[in-house]
Amino acid sequence: MSTLMDMPAVAECSVAGCSYNDHSHCHAAAVNIGGTTGDAQCTTFFPLGTKGGLDKVITHVGACQRAECVHNTSLECTADSIRVGAGHEEADCLTFSPR
């Protein structure tokens, strides 16, 4: 993969409390996945009453710090797309699958 547009898209985000969420669609330019073992947290989650993001956007995975995920190669996500939803604390990558 060589550009952001080549990265996997965020197909769905069901975390209504995120400023970037608009009717289950993420409006951030890109999301980053981090967290600790067993919790692939969407670190782009931002709980604020003000809506943020871009009006017309197809959100992609910017970076994935979860090297133990089967979809991770050199800290880049190789899944076709990902889903973000309620997680251990706030928002998690539901596509995360440990090796």
Side-chain angles (χ1 to χ4, degrees), residues 2-87:
S2 57
T3 69
L4 180 61
M5 297 306 290
D6 295 329
M7 299 302 292
V10 177
E12 173 190 9
C13 178
S14 60
V15 184
C18 182
S19 292
Y20 292 110
N21 188 319
D22 186 14
H23 298 91
S24 294
H25 296 289
C26 183
H27 283 253
V31 299
N32 294 319
I33 307 300
T36 57
T37 302
D39 184 25
Q41 187 177 28
C42 175
T43 59
T44 310
F45 174 84
F46 196 68
L48 185 66
T50 303
K51 289 295 180 186
L54 307 169
D55 289 337
K56 297 179 181 180
V57 67
I58 297 174
T59 305
H60 292 84
V61 178
C64 180
Q65 301 167 8
R66 303 311 306 269
E68 75 278 16
C69 180
V70 299
H71 302 292
N72 190 316
T73 301
S74 299
L75 301 179
E76 301 293 336
C77 183
T78 61
D80 291 334
S81 65
I82 69 162
R83 292 176 35 255
V84 176

